[in-house]
Structure formats: structure tokens, C-alpha cells
């Protein structure tokens, strides 16, 4: 796991960087190789020993992949899941009615195998768009869900990856009613990553006691500060999905927004989502650096988000950071086309803590010093754009030769 | 000049690919080296022997560069220009009040040298953001405007380039009232190119007789079908500008929308703009291919434009085309996040004339045949998204290693 900032600003969490979706009470995860990829694991599952309240957030892409449609419908009807299966290498997207049927068959096979109702099973896919799932291999996978030799959560963390170079997971613990509650998460990137849900799957589990609607609301707010604030290449995929499961096994008093420890839970969920989101950005295809853009002084949060996202989305900013070049003009340019409300004369920008623009004008700085700072793995861009209350952070990565190499030859 | 499609569909034009801004009656262009770049020409001018009606379109970036502000104000007040000077290598952007003063000094020096009023001189800059213009070199340039040895229009075409690999220019002739009218144009790209005016300068001259307001309206409409439909990397610069000059020396009856030959003029101006825009896209930084996305069946033109631009803007589509990979899933993905009105089941896509998606589903195609087609320099993507009347074309380029190389090391 690469170095991702883990700033528990409120000092309320016990953080386990080895943790994942299997960390909370009652959750088991596993994965195996069924033959969708050459050698790597390509089929994984999450299972809760008891029914879990379920919430989901799905891509806004109009071409929503079949497994998303099926899982969204399932959660809408049942608000609860007990198992999720995920395959990599094939997105089951642009596959029409047959794709929907394939996703439903997968769901039914898992349900039958685990003796659950179909409405207790979620399905997810990631990979190449426009091919049918090889259903014999998928069926083979479904028959092996929960087989002991495959029940290692690290196998799950691996099985959902595509071009990712490292697994992305952690867990945190927080006290609710004096009882330890665990939240775990596992995610994958790493191309087609952009605000509004990208080619990205993320699964968050918890043993907290919370109903599906409350979980759903909390998850959606969390996502706006995390997964919706990352970008790798500006493409929002057909398969993005974040699923949350809460099985209540920690057995505290049920959480809702009036619970005295509600904010602690919210904080912990936010922390997990932000960590996973930053991991995805840092592992963007071909990325060598994590870029964080913090914007303040905007009229409102929405404007701050637009400006911050624009900075980390700009190909010219991304290549300059790859080249470790203090090309602040590109940062200002990306801000200037993001928002009509920006007032140039009130705009200040610093790069790696070095002021480069003040009141909309370039300022002199020590080129050699800044060049040295730009060699770091984590690059911080901070900007203020006025006197407003709006602030936001966005996360991205540099744009490298490697990005082009990966994507010029991905499908074939 | 690389091969750009020149389809005079109405067969009304006499096209001269050697032509440029100096082709219409009464226009002279030239350029020289003043020392902003190491060796290449970096300072150029356009001059009309009589005052010309002037119109301009400027970047929407909030950080509008100083020369744009000065030229915009000048044209607004005077609606006429007789000379334009342009420097490359330095954008005079993010330079505050001093930048404005530098642009005004440039304007004043040219006016004095040519014995014109200041309000008859336009200024433009392109290059690195955030440095002050070296005014001694600029002043030297202004003192040499129209010096005979520099009055070669090819020098102008070269002097405005930055990372462009070829000059971009042409002229066309059309009959108005039975009199030959010439429209000439010269443009530069080639990074920070995106819809809504990019790092791009374009100058269009004509000896047609037309007032400034009519020219302005016509230019703005033209731009929506040409310069605003190209993208290289999604960044809209602080310095984009298209200027149009009409000196009336062809001496036909004044053009307006009621003139019997109005549509011929409009068509010719559109043709010049589209050709220059496509030249810029084709010469995008690191580009090896021109990509044209034609969308039809949208609810309206605005929606068709959004979808077409999204296709040519997608880094994943651009890398796939660079790799000559028929990754149609990425095309569909880019369409799906562009517009909420797309109906997947009514969506058809063809790539190099090979149908790849029908009714939202992938269709089988001959991989080897399509792979062969993708080796071409001009790649066509055609999509229909429903039964609406909206149609539009957008122009872009592939994304190559070379793009990363150029931009990881541009400034320093």
C-alpha cells in the first residue's frame, strides 16, 4: 500500500491499514480465479452472516451497465443484502437484454448456492465494455462462493482490480454508545475515474446498527466529499458503484441523525471513503503522484468543488506536475474556465506551500526550491478565490507516458 | 500543410491552400525574430491599406490575458482596425496592471510608427503565462512593422506559432454581386485547445464590404461550428481570440443578411473557419490523427454538440485511437456522461464506417478490417442518438506519448 495521507483530525478513530470489508463483525470476503483474466484473481465475494441494511450510489452515465441496473433494483426493493459478488475483466456493459439476464442469472446462482433469496444478492462487474460475460466461468465462480480455501479477504481485494497496481482497503473503529463499531472498505480504480462516479467500485461494510435509508443518506453525503472529488482522466464509466452494508452486529442503540454519537459515525464513514478515494487517485493509470487541490473563499461549496476538480482534471496541470515543472499559469487557467464567479484580482495560489500567484498576478519565487518540492509523491495546490465560505478539496494524479501506454493497448 | 478535408459541398469556392490573411485586396502581413524565442520568428503583423471593419471573439476564461482586454476594448470603442501585431512565446497573462500597460504601450508604439490612431491597432499574445513581456524586444518589433524585408505573409504565419508543427492558413474566393471577394485566414494552436475558445489565435481578413456588427454576428455563428467544436486537451486558455477584419476593397454592394449573396459569404466564412479549426485539431500537441465525431438525431444542436465534443475530448477515446484499437466502449461511455437525454436503446455508433453499436448494444465486426481502417490519418466516428433534428460535428486528435513529453517540459 502506497503512502496515503491518513489525517484523523478529530483523533477519534483506531485506524487499521491492513483492514478491509471483512473487518467488521460478521463479514467474510474471498476471491478466486475463474478464468476471465489470464492468471490473476477475477471473481470475489462479500458475505454477511446476517442480513445487512444496504445502500448504493450508481454512475450517472446514461449507459448504465447491466449489473448496476440489477443491483440498484434489488436494493431499491429489498433495502438489504447478505452477499455481493464481483467480477473483473468484463464490465457487462452495452450488452442489452442478454446482459441483464446474465446479471440476474449470476444473482440467482449465488442465491441458490448460499440458500438466500435472490433479493439478498448484489452483483458488480468491471472491465471491458461491450462483451458478454462468459457465463460458464461466472457459474463456476458462483458455485465456489464461501468455499473455505478462497475465504481470504486479500483475495477479494485483489479479485476486483483491473489496471490497479495495488489493493485499496482499510478499516477504522469508533465508539458508539461505548461499544466498538468497525467500518471497513475495499475499492478499485484506476482508469475512467472522474467526479460523479467513475470506473470505480467501492464496498463499505460495517457492524453498526443503522437502517437502510439513514445509511443511504449518509453514504451519499460522504461520496460528495470523497469519490466524487477524484479524477484520473475525466471519464465517468458505465459501471461505477459504491455499496454500503450494515449488519448491526455491534448491537449498540440504532444510529440515526439524533443519536448522540451520530457525528462520530459520520466522521468515520467519511474518513473511510476519503482514504479509499485518495487511494484510487494515487493509483490512477500511470500515476506517479497524488495531487490534492484545496480551494477556499468560493461563494459556496459547489463552486469550490468545481474549481478544485478543474485543477486536478486539467491535462496540462497533470503533465506539468509529471514533469515537476512549476507551471502555475496552467493552474490559474484551469481555475479560470471552471467558474464564472472567480474574481482574478482576489485569487491567490500556492504550490507545495510556495506562493506563486497573489491577487491574480504571478509572484517571484525560488525556482530551484520549488522544483525540489515538486519531486515529492504528494503534491498540494492551495487556492483562495475570494472571501466566500465555500471550501473543498479534490484529488487527482499526474499524467504520464505510462497512462498513454496503458490506454493505447488496453482492450486488445 | 498536412492533409485536411476540404469539402466545398456547395461547389461555390475557389480554394487556395497557399493563401492566408494577406490574400484579400489591401492586406499585407509579415513577421520577424525579435528574441522572444531562441531562433524562430516570434513577432508578426497584419496591416490593411485602408481602415477595416473589425469583429472579435474572446476566451471565456475568467483570467483573460491583458492583450485580449485591450483589443476587446479597442474594437468595442472603434469597431475598426487597420493593424494587428502578435507575439508568441509570452502570453502576457496573469500580469496585472503592468500587463495591461505593456499591451497598451505596444499598441501605442505601433500606432505611432504607422501614423495611425491607437484605436486602429489590435494586439495579441500567446505563450507562457505569468511572465512580463520583455518590452525592449517588443518595442524593437513595433519599430519594424511593415519594413519591406519582413513583409512576407509566410513570416506572419510562422511568427504566431508556439508548439505547432505546421503553419495553418488558406484563402477562398466567392462571387458577390459578380465581383470576386477573397477571405483569408491564418491560425495557430496547438495546446490548451478546447471548446469555448482555446489557446488559439485566428485571424480572418476579407476585402468584402460589410459593417462591423454584421461581421461580428456572422463570425460568432461561424465560430460555434468551427473553433468552438475542436479540442486538443480540454483546457481553454486565457489568450484565445479570433479577429475578423473586412476592408471593403472588393467594392460590391454592402453585405447584410438581406443581400442576395449573403448565404454565399456566410458559407465561405464558415469554410475558412472550419478549415483552420480542423488544422488546429490535426496539429494538436503530439497528435498523429485528426478525429471527427459526427452526431445526429439529438433533440437539438446544443445537445448534439455536447455529445460530439465529449467523444473527441475523452482521454480514453483519444488513447484508444492512438493505439488504433477499436475500443468502441469508450465512445459509448463518453456519450453517456455527456447528455442526460441520450436514450441508449436508440443509440448507434460507427467507427471508420464500421457499425460497432446498434440500439445501444455492441455488434460483431471484423476486427482485422477495422484495425486496418484505424491506421488512417483521419478517423471518423458517427453516432445517432435518437430521432431528433439536432446534428453537429466536433474535431479532435489522438493522445500520444508525445503530448505528455511536450507538456511535461514546456515551460522550463
Amino acid at each position: 500500500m502506497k503512502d496515503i495521507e491518513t489525517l484523523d483530525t478529530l483523533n477519534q478513530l483506531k485506524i487499521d491499514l491492513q483492514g478491509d470489508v471483512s473487518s467488521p463483525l460478521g463479514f467474510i470476503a474471498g476471491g478466486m480465479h475463474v478464468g476471465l483474466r489470464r492468471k490473476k484473481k477475477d471473481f470475489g465475494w462479500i458475505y454477511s452472516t446476517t442480513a445487512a441494511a444496504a445502500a448504493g450510489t450508481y454512475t450517472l452515465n446514461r449507459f448504465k451497465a447491466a449489473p448496476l441496473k440489477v443491483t440498484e433494483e434489488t436494493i431499491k426493493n429489498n433495502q438489504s443484502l447478505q452477499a455481493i459478488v464481483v467480477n473483473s475483466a468484463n464490465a457487462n456493459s452495452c450488452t442489452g437484454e442478454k446482459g441483464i439476464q446474465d446479471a440476474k442469472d449470476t444473482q440467482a446462482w449465488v442465491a441458490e448456492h448460499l440458500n438466500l433469496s435472490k433479493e439478498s444478492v448484489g452483483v458488480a462487474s468491471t472491465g471491458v465494455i461491450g462483451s458478454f460475460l462468459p457465463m460458464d466461468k461466472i457459474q463456476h465462480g458462483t458455485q465456489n462462493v464461501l468455499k473455505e480455501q478462497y475465504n481470504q479477504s486479500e483475495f477479494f481485494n485483489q479479485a476486483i482490480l483491473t489496471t490497479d497496481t495495488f489493493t485499496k482497503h482499510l478499516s477504522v473503529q469508533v465508539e458508539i454508545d461505548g461499544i466498538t463499531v468497525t467500518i471497513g472498505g475495499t475499492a478499485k480504480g484506476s482508469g475512467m475515474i472522474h467526479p460523479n462516479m467513475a470506473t470505480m467500485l467501492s464496498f463499505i461494510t460495517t457492524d453498526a446498527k443503522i437502517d437502510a435509508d439513514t445509511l443511504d443518506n449518509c453514504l451519499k453525503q460522504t461520496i460528495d466529499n470523497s469519490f466524487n472529488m477524484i479524477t484520473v482522466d475525466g471519464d465517468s464509466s458505465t459501471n461505477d458503484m459504491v455499496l454500503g452494508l450494515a449488519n448491526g452486529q455491534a448491537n449498540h442503540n440504532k444510529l440515526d441523525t439524533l443519536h448522540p454519537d451520530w457525528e462520530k459515525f459520520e466522521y468515520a464513514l467519511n474518513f473511510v471513503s476519503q482514504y479509499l478515494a485518495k487511494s484510487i487517485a494515487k493509483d490512477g493509470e500511470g500515476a506517479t503522484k497524488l495531487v490534492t487541490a484545496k480551494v477556499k473563499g468560493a461563494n459556496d461549496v459547489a463552486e469550490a468543488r468545481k474549481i478544485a476538480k478543474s485543477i486536478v482534471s486539467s491535462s496540462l496541470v497533470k503533465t506539468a506536475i509529471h514533469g515537476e515543472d512549476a507551471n502555475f499559469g496552467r493552474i490559474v487557467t484551469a481555475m479560470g474556465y471552471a467558474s464564472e464567479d472567480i474574481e482574478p484580482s482576489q485569487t491567490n495560489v500556492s504550490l507545495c506551500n510556495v506562493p506563486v500567484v497573489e491577487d491574480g498576478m504571478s509572484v517571484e519565487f525560488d525556482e530551484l526550491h520549488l522544483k525540489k518540492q515538486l519531486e515529492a509523491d504528494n503534491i498540494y495546490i492551495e487556492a483562495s478565490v475570494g472571501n466566500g465560505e465555500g471550501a473543498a478539496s479534490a484529488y487527482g494524479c499526474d499524467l504520464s507516458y505510462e497512462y498513454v501506454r496503458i490506454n493505447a493497448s488496453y482492450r486488445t
Side-chain angles (χ1 to χ4, degrees), chain A:
Chain A
M1 172 68 69
K2 291 201 192 177
D3 166 49
I4 308 291
E5 186 185 65
T6 50
L7 218 54
D8 174 16
T9 44
L10 301 185
N11 205 20
Q12 288 186 336
L13 306 175
K14 201 177 142 202
I15 300 168
D16 179 3
L17 296 181
Q18 307 303 317
D20 58 28
V21 286
S22 72
S23 301
L25 294 174
F27 283 97
I28 301 166
M32 63 184 294
H33 177 254
V34 301
L36 303 167
R37 310 181 74 182
R38 212 170 303 167
K39 282 183 152 182
K40 292 181 180 168
K41 294 192 172 46
D42 49 20
F43 188 85
W45 54 84
I46 302 170
Y47 177 77
S48 171
T49 56
T50 52
T57 311
Y58 312 92
T59 187
L60 295 178
N61 196 305
R62 287 285 296 157
F63 289 85
K64 198 178 278 186
L68 269 74
K69 287 184 184 166
V70 170
T71 299
E72 186 172 15
E73 185 72 15
T74 299
I75 290 181
K76 203 172 126 197
N77 292 337
N78 196 32
Q79 299 207 299
S80 164
L81 290 179
Q82 202 165 339
I84 298 170
V85 294
V86 190
N87 73 275
S88 54
N90 184 317
N92 190 11
S93 177
C94 288
T95 46
E97 280 307 312
K98 175 160 165 46
I100 297 283
Q101 193 54 54
D102 287 349
K104 286 186 174 170
D105 285 350
T106 308
Q107 184 183 43
W109 290 332
V110 174
E112 195 186 357
H113 175 65
L114 299 177
N115 202 21
L116 300 172
S117 75
K118 284 187 280 191
E119 286 70 33
S120 299
V121 179
V123 292
S125 299
T126 177
V128 175
I129 294 169
S131 300
F132 295 120
L133 285 172
M135 291 307 286
D136 51 338
K137 294 173 180 172
I138 296 292
Q139 188 169 30
H140 173 66
T142 62
Q143 303 312 311
N144 284 286
V145 172
L146 288 188
K147 281 271 172 73
E148 208 169 333
Q149 71 267 36
Y150 303 126
N151 278 341
Q152 299 184 40
S153 62
E154 191 56 18
F155 290 177
F156 173 77
N157 301 341
Q158 291 162 9
I160 67 173
L161 304 182
T162 51
T163 52
D164 304 64
T165 65
F166 55 85
T167 56
K168 294 159 187 73
H169 52 89
L170 95 161
S171 66
V172 303
Q173 293 187 322
V174 64
E175 301 285 307
I176 305 287
D177 297 335
I179 294 172
T180 298
V181 163
T182 306
I183 303 178
T186 297
K188 62 88 44 183
S190 67
M192 272 199 197
I193 301 292
H194 195 58
N196 293 321
M197 307 297 298
T199 303
M200 170 210 87
L201 292 173
S202 185
F203 305 96
I204 296 174
T205 57
T206 179
D207 43 26
K209 208 164 164 180
I210 184 172
D211 67 29
D213 283 339
T214 314
L215 180 64
D216 195 48
N217 285 337
C218 189
L219 195 65
K220 281 189 173 53
Q221 283 177 30
T222 296
I223 284 168
D224 282 337
N225 293 318
S226 55
F227 299 108
N228 281 346
M229 291 307 290
I230 61 176
T231 186
V232 169
D233 50 21
D235 284 272
S236 301
S237 113
T238 57
N239 286 56
D240 303 330
M241 175 159 62
V242 176
L243 295 180
L245 297 185
N247 68 11
Q249 295 192 15
N251 212 22
H252 48 78
N253 292 323
K254 197 172 194 173
L255 278 165
D256 58 33
T257 54
L258 301 174
H259 189 290
D261 289 331
W262 172 252
E263 288 183 6
K264 282 164 78 174
F265 178 77
E266 216 179 6
Y267 174 76
L269 190 64
N270 245 300
F271 186 89
V272 169
S273 296
Q274 284 216 5
Y275 179 86
L276 294 175
K278 284 192 265 186
S279 301
I280 290 172
K282 179 134 190 175
D283 196 23
E285 287 175 336
T288 67
K289 293 169 191 295
L290 173 64
V291 182
T292 302
K294 294 185 185 186
V295 172
K296 63 180 184 183
N299 289 336
D300 52 35
V301 172
E303 198 199 344
R305 284 181 178 151
K306 255 199 321 194
I307 299 166
K309 280 186 207 174
S310 183
I311 295 170
V312 295
S313 299
S314 159
S315 291
L316 288 166
V317 171
K318 287 152 62 79
T319 44
I321 286 172
H322 183 66
E324 301 176 349
D325 177 18
N327 200 326
F328 61 88
R330 295 178 177 176
I331 297 170
V332 168
T333 299
M335 294 169 65
Y337 59 73
S339 164
E340 288 186 19
D341 295 334
I342 278 187
E343 181 41 53
S345 69
Q346 292 181 15
T347 299
N348 301 301
V349 179
S350 73
L351 179 57
C352 303
N353 288 315
V354 176
V356 289
V357 172
E358 277 175 10
D359 303 336
M361 268 186 73
S362 58
V363 288
E364 285 199 39
F365 55 87
D366 180 343
E367 278 273 353
L368 278 178
H369 169 72
L370 184 46
K371 180 101 192 145
K372 193 81 193 158
Q373 301 302 307
L374 284 164
E375 291 171 10
D377 280 354
N378 289 293
I379 302 297
Y380 295 90
I381 299 167
E382 289 177 89
S384 60
V385 297
N387 299 312
E389 294 290 313
S393 293
Y395 310 96
C397 58
D398 57 334
L399 172 57
S400 68
Y401 301 93
E402 194 58 14
Y403 175 83
V404 178
R405 194 194 59 74
I406 292 168
N407 284 299
S409 60
Y410 171 59
R411 193 188 58 108
T412 46

